[in-house]
Structures are given as C-alpha cells and as structure tokens.
Amino acid sequence: MRIPENEVTDERVYLQRRRLIAGLSALPALGLSGCAEADPPAPPGPVISAAEAASGFKTDEPLTRYEDVTGYNNFYEFGTGKGDPSKAARTLRTSPWTVAVGGECARPGKLSLDDLLKGLTPEERIYRLRCVEGWSMVIPWLGVPLADVLKRFEPNSDAKYVAFTTLADREQMPGIRYRSIDWPYREGLRIDEAMHPLTLLATGLYGKALPQQNGAPLRLVVPWKYGFKSIKSIVAITFVKHRPHCSWNDLQPSEYGFFSNVNPDVDHPRWSQKTERRIAGSGSQLFAERIPTRLFNGYAEQVGDMYAGMNLRRWF
Ligand SMILES: Nc1nc2c(c(=O)[nH]1)N[C@H]1C(S)=C(S)[C@@H](COP(=O)(O)O)O[C@H]1N2
Ligand SMILES: [Mo]
C-alpha cells in the first residue's frame, strides 16, 4: 500500500463517504442547499451506532482535518518541530519492512509486515489522541487489535509486559543525530493493557495507508494514554518479565510516568493537564477553545477496571 504524494483525503469527502455507506443521504452541511448569509456549518461527526459508542471503538466527535493529522506531528526521529516530520519523513522506506517478535513466548520470529498481519482485516477505529503537551485530535484509524497479533506468538506466563522499538536509521532519519532521546525510541505496556480491545496496531488513517509522518507502516495507538505511548514505525515487539525501558520515562521519570494514563487531576510538573485544545486548522489551535480533559481520555468505562485500587498519583 502506497500513497501518491498528490492524493489527499478531505475529511468532508471521507465523512460523506462514511454517511453514504451508512445509508444516509448527502450532507446538508456541505452547503449544497445554499444559505448564502450563514457561516459554513462545521462538518458533523461520523455516524456511529450505540454499540460502537459503548465499546469506545468510535466517537461521533468532529474529526480533526486530514491535513492537520498529517501535518502537525511529533516524530522526533524526523525533527522536533511539528511541521518537520511531514517533510522529512517522505524518504522513510516502509517496504520491505520486518518486525522481530520475541522474548517470553513459544513462537518467536522475524516476520514481514504481510506475514505479521496475514488473515487479519483492518478495522476502523475513531479515537481521541491526547498529547501530554495539552493538545488533542480525533483520528479515524485503520488497524488490527494488538491482541490478535500478540496471541499468534503464544506469550508464556512470564510475559508480564510488552516492549516496542522504533526503527533507528541514521540515514533515513535526520533527527537521530541529535541526542534528544537515547535512540531507538522505546515504549512499553503491561500485558493486560497490550491485550485490551481498545489497543490498536494501526496501519492506516482516513481509509488509506498510514503516511510516514504518522508512523508508517505500523504504529501503536493506545487512546487512553498520552500520545507518546503510541510508538511509531515499529520494528520489534518483545514479551518481557519486567517493566521495560520507555524513552520519555527514562529521559525524565518525574515528568513522564510508565503508565502515563491521561488524567486531568495529575498535572505535569510544568503545566496543568486539566484542559486541552483540539487541533483545528493551521495556526488556529493557538486560539482554539480549551475543553476539559477527561480521566483516561474519556475511556474510563472501558479501561478503568485495569487500574482499580491503584493510586493514580503514585503510578502516573
Ligand atoms: N518513534 C516515535 N514515536 C512517537 C513519537 C516520536 O517522537 N517517535 N512521538 C509520540 C508523541 S509525543 C505523540 S503525541 C504521537 C503523535 O502521533 P501523530 O503525529 O500521528 O499525531 O506519536 C508518538 N509516537
Ligand atoms: Mo505527545
């Protein structure tokens, strides 16, 4: 799967397609009915079923524009500016791509991306993504539940955690020459978190292949945790007995915890986590209204049980 550079999915076209699929008529919000005086109404959110909403798999909140999802990124391997990855990651070669899966499991192996995902059909998930920096997006991902992939390797009873590693290739990734992070970028989850149905291995967004800047060809999406847990361009997945090294936690453990569950009541030492701004249009996020941040990023109903009885201040 490759995306020609000139191909852009407008989020309204995408939404319209979704609504047509849902069997509904074209959007009045496209302005086709003509109402010259009024401001163009905001695109409505996607059509979702009650079951989809209850599962947390989809939200009907307005989607973040495709150009913002793919133009405002954090991917330090390609620079620390939000606009750097969309330019510098164009040269990332995502095919062929292999992923090494190993550690505490019966069937370790080094697999091509096709073999890793063989027989699994990507599903659409519409998730909120909350960055620890205080901004957020609503993104329609394509991907497979991480659990479906992990089970194939038959983890054993010593597999208490899962560790993930990003590619670190000096030649393809200009940001690697700066020691901002001890490369490769690493992240990890507790095994129950990794196996949770909300945890996604994403291969696409807006109905097509993942752009390089969003972590092609394979990235993690853990919607109830701060964005830095959603590690990009994964080359290794390892079942481990002990809590694995995680890049941001290693860098500044007082600021970035291992769990990093979104929590409005546990502030970052340098800024409040009580509110967030939805990215909406280049530059305009600076003026976007602050909205309240929700515990577990609004997924408490689905994930709260995993942390029952845990002191979330201590285990931030
Ligand atoms: N390998 C790698 N993964 C990464 C990052 C990174 O710098 N390198 N940044 C993280 C951060 S801080 C966020 S908020 C999300 C951003 O994902 P997006 O650019 O697709 O919105 O990716 C995360 N995954
Ligand atoms: Mo982030």
CSV table of all heavy atoms in Angstrom, one decimal, residues 2 5 9 23 29 36 52 67 88-89 122 132 137 144 156 207 218 232 234 250-252 269 272 277 303 305:
chain,number,residue,atom,x,y,z
A,2,ARG,N,0.6,2.1,-1.0
A,2,ARG,CA,1.4,3.3,-1.1
A,2,ARG,C,0.5,4.5,-1.4
A,2,ARG,O,-0.5,4.4,-2.0
A,2,ARG,CB,2.4,3.2,-2.3
A,2,ARG,CG,3.5,2.2,-2.1
A,2,ARG,CD,4.8,2.9,-2.1
A,2,ARG,NE,5.6,2.5,-1.0
A,2,ARG,CZ,6.4,3.4,-0.3
A,2,ARG,NH1,6.4,4.6,-0.6
A,2,ARG,NH2,7.1,2.9,0.7
A,5,GLU,N,1.8,11.1,-3.6
A,5,GLU,CA,2.0,12.4,-2.9
A,5,GLU,C,0.8,13.4,-3.1
A,5,GLU,O,0.5,14.2,-2.3
A,5,GLU,CB,3.3,13.1,-3.4
A,5,GLU,CG,4.6,12.3,-3.1
A,5,GLU,CD,5.3,12.8,-1.9
A,5,GLU,OE1,5.0,13.9,-1.5
A,5,GLU,OE2,6.3,12.1,-1.5
A,9,THR,N,-7.0,13.1,1.1
A,9,THR,CA,-8.4,12.8,1.5
A,9,THR,C,-8.9,14.0,2.3
A,9,THR,O,-8.5,14.2,3.4
A,9,THR,CB,-8.6,11.6,2.3
A,9,THR,OG1,-8.0,10.5,1.6
A,9,THR,CG2,-10.0,11.3,2.6
A,23,GLY,N,-25.8,4.5,4.7
A,23,GLY,CA,-27.1,4.5,4.0
A,23,GLY,C,-27.9,5.8,4.2
A,23,GLY,O,-29.1,5.9,4.0
A,29,ALA,N,-24.6,19.8,5.4
A,29,ALA,CA,-23.5,20.6,5.9
A,29,ALA,C,-22.5,21.0,4.8
A,29,ALA,O,-21.7,21.8,4.9
A,29,ALA,CB,-22.8,19.9,7.0
A,36,ALA,N,-26.7,31.5,1.7
A,36,ALA,CA,-25.5,32.4,1.4
A,36,ALA,C,-25.0,33.2,2.6
A,36,ALA,O,-23.9,33.4,2.8
A,36,ALA,CB,-25.8,33.3,0.3
A,52,GLU,N,-21.1,0.8,18.9
A,52,GLU,CA,-19.8,1.3,18.7
A,52,GLU,C,-19.4,2.4,19.7
A,52,GLU,O,-18.3,2.4,20.2
A,52,GLU,CB,-19.7,2.0,17.3
A,52,GLU,CG,-19.7,1.0,16.1
A,52,GLU,CD,-19.8,1.7,14.8
A,52,GLU,OE1,-20.5,2.7,14.6
A,52,GLU,OE2,-19.2,1.2,13.8
A,67,GLU,N,-5.4,17.3,6.9
A,67,GLU,CA,-4.1,18.0,6.7
A,67,GLU,C,-3.5,18.3,8.1
A,67,GLU,O,-2.3,18.5,8.2
A,67,GLU,CB,-4.3,19.3,5.9
A,67,GLU,CG,-5.3,20.2,6.5
A,67,GLU,CD,-5.7,21.3,5.5
A,67,GLU,OE1,-6.6,21.1,4.8
A,67,GLU,OE2,-5.1,22.4,5.6
A,88,ALA,N,10.3,15.7,6.3
A,88,ALA,CA,11.5,14.9,6.4
A,88,ALA,C,11.2,13.4,6.3
A,88,ALA,O,12.1,12.7,5.9
A,88,ALA,CB,12.3,15.2,7.7
A,89,ALA,N,10.0,13.0,6.7
A,89,ALA,CA,9.7,11.5,6.7
A,89,ALA,C,9.4,11.0,5.3
A,89,ALA,O,9.2,9.8,5.2
A,89,ALA,CB,8.7,11.2,7.7
A,122,PRO,N,-8.0,-5.1,8.6
A,122,PRO,CA,-8.0,-3.8,9.4
A,122,PRO,C,-9.4,-3.3,9.6
A,122,PRO,O,-10.3,-3.3,8.8
A,122,PRO,CB,-7.2,-2.9,8.4
A,122,PRO,CG,-6.4,-3.7,7.6
A,122,PRO,CD,-7.2,-5.0,7.4
A,132,VAL,N,0.6,14.9,25.7
A,132,VAL,CA,0.9,15.4,27.1
A,132,VAL,C,1.1,16.9,27.0
A,132,VAL,O,1.1,17.6,28.1
A,132,VAL,CB,2.2,14.6,27.6
A,132,VAL,CG1,3.4,15.0,26.9
A,132,VAL,CG2,2.3,14.7,29.1
A,137,MET,N,-6.5,15.5,19.2
A,137,MET,CA,-7.1,15.3,17.9
A,137,MET,C,-8.1,14.2,18.0
A,137,MET,O,-8.2,13.4,18.9
A,137,MET,CB,-6.0,14.9,16.9
A,137,MET,CG,-4.9,15.9,16.6
A,137,MET,SD,-4.0,15.4,15.2
A,137,MET,CE,-2.6,16.6,15.2
A,144,VAL,N,-5.5,-3.2,13.3
A,144,VAL,CA,-5.9,-4.5,13.9
A,144,VAL,C,-5.7,-4.5,15.4
A,144,VAL,O,-4.8,-3.8,15.9
A,144,VAL,CB,-5.2,-5.7,13.3
A,144,VAL,CG1,-5.4,-5.8,11.8
A,144,VAL,CG2,-3.7,-5.7,13.6
A,156,ASN,N,4.1,-16.6,27.1
A,156,ASN,CA,4.0,-17.5,28.3
A,156,ASN,C,3.7,-16.7,29.5
A,156,ASN,O,3.5,-15.5,29.5
A,156,ASN,CB,5.3,-18.3,28.4
A,156,ASN,CG,6.5,-17.5,28.6
A,156,ASN,OD1,6.5,-16.5,29.4
A,156,ASN,ND2,7.6,-17.8,28.0
A,207,GLY,N,-9.0,6.0,6.0
A,207,GLY,CA,-9.3,5.0,5.0
A,207,GLY,C,-8.2,4.6,4.1
A,207,GLY,O,-8.4,3.9,3.1
A,218,LEU,N,3.6,0.8,10.5
A,218,LEU,CA,2.9,0.1,11.7
A,218,LEU,C,3.2,0.9,12.9
A,218,LEU,O,4.3,1.1,13.3
A,218,LEU,CB,3.5,-1.3,11.8
A,218,LEU,CG,2.8,-2.2,12.7
A,218,LEU,CD1,1.4,-2.7,12.1
A,218,LEU,CD2,3.6,-3.5,13.0
A,232,LYS,N,5.7,4.8,17.1
A,232,LYS,CA,5.6,4.8,15.6
A,232,LYS,C,6.6,3.8,15.0
A,232,LYS,O,7.6,3.5,15.6
A,232,LYS,CB,5.8,6.2,15.0
A,232,LYS,CG,4.7,7.2,15.5
A,232,LYS,CD,5.0,8.6,15.0
A,232,LYS,CE,3.8,9.4,15.2
A,232,LYS,NZ,4.0,10.8,14.6
A,234,ILE,N,7.2,0.7,14.1
A,234,ILE,CA,7.7,-0.4,15.0
A,234,ILE,C,8.5,-1.5,14.2
A,234,ILE,O,8.0,-2.0,13.2
A,234,ILE,CB,6.5,-1.0,15.7
A,234,ILE,CG1,5.8,0.0,16.6
A,234,ILE,CG2,6.9,-2.3,16.5
A,234,ILE,CD1,4.4,-0.4,17.1
A,250,ASP,N,12.5,7.2,30.7
A,250,ASP,CA,14.0,7.2,31.0
A,250,ASP,C,14.5,8.6,31.0
A,250,ASP,O,15.4,8.9,31.9
A,250,ASP,CB,14.7,6.4,29.9
A,250,ASP,CG,14.5,4.9,30.0
A,250,ASP,OD1,13.9,4.5,31.0
A,250,ASP,OD2,15.0,4.2,29.1
A,251,LEU,N,14.1,9.4,30.1
A,251,LEU,CA,14.6,10.8,30.0
A,251,LEU,C,14.3,11.7,31.2
A,251,LEU,O,15.1,12.4,31.7
A,251,LEU,CB,13.9,11.4,28.7
A,251,LEU,CG,14.7,12.5,28.0
A,251,LEU,CD1,16.0,12.0,27.5
A,251,LEU,CD2,13.8,13.0,26.8
A,252,GLN,N,13.0,11.6,31.7
A,252,GLN,CA,12.6,12.4,32.8
A,252,GLN,C,11.5,11.7,33.6
A,252,GLN,O,10.3,12.0,33.4
A,252,GLN,CB,12.1,13.8,32.2
A,252,GLN,CG,12.0,14.9,33.2
A,252,GLN,CD,13.3,15.1,34.0
A,252,GLN,OE1,13.3,14.5,35.1
A,252,GLN,NE2,14.3,15.8,33.6
A,269,PRO,N,4.6,18.4,35.9
A,269,PRO,CA,5.2,19.4,36.8
A,269,PRO,C,5.3,20.8,36.2
A,269,PRO,O,5.3,21.8,36.9
A,269,PRO,CB,6.6,18.9,37.1
A,269,PRO,CG,6.6,17.5,36.6
A,269,PRO,CD,5.4,17.2,35.7
A,272,SER,N,-0.5,22.3,33.6
A,272,SER,CA,-1.7,21.6,34.0
A,272,SER,C,-2.2,20.7,32.9
A,272,SER,O,-2.0,20.9,31.8
A,272,SER,CB,-2.8,22.7,34.3
A,272,SER,OG,-4.1,22.1,34.3
A,277,ARG,N,-6.6,21.5,24.0
A,277,ARG,CA,-7.1,22.2,22.8
A,277,ARG,C,-7.1,21.3,21.6
A,277,ARG,O,-6.1,20.6,21.3
A,277,ARG,CB,-6.2,23.4,22.4
A,277,ARG,CG,-6.3,24.5,23.4
A,277,ARG,CD,-5.4,25.7,22.9
A,277,ARG,NE,-5.8,26.9,23.5
A,277,ARG,CZ,-5.0,27.6,24.3
A,277,ARG,NH1,-3.8,27.2,24.5
A,277,ARG,NH2,-5.4,28.8,24.9
A,303,VAL,N,-11.6,1.0,30.3
A,303,VAL,CA,-10.2,0.6,30.9
A,303,VAL,C,-10.1,0.8,32.4
A,303,VAL,O,-9.1,0.3,32.9
A,303,VAL,CB,-9.1,1.4,30.2
A,303,VAL,CG1,-9.2,1.3,28.7
A,303,VAL,CG2,-9.1,2.9,30.6
A,305,ASP,N,-11.2,-0.6,35.0
A,305,ASP,CA,-11.0,-1.8,35.8
A,305,ASP,C,-9.6,-2.3,35.9
A,305,ASP,O,-9.2,-2.9,36.9
A,305,ASP,CB,-11.8,-3.0,35.2
A,305,ASP,CG,-13.3,-2.9,35.5
A,305,ASP,OD1,-13.7,-2.1,36.3
A,305,ASP,OD2,-14.1,-3.8,35.0
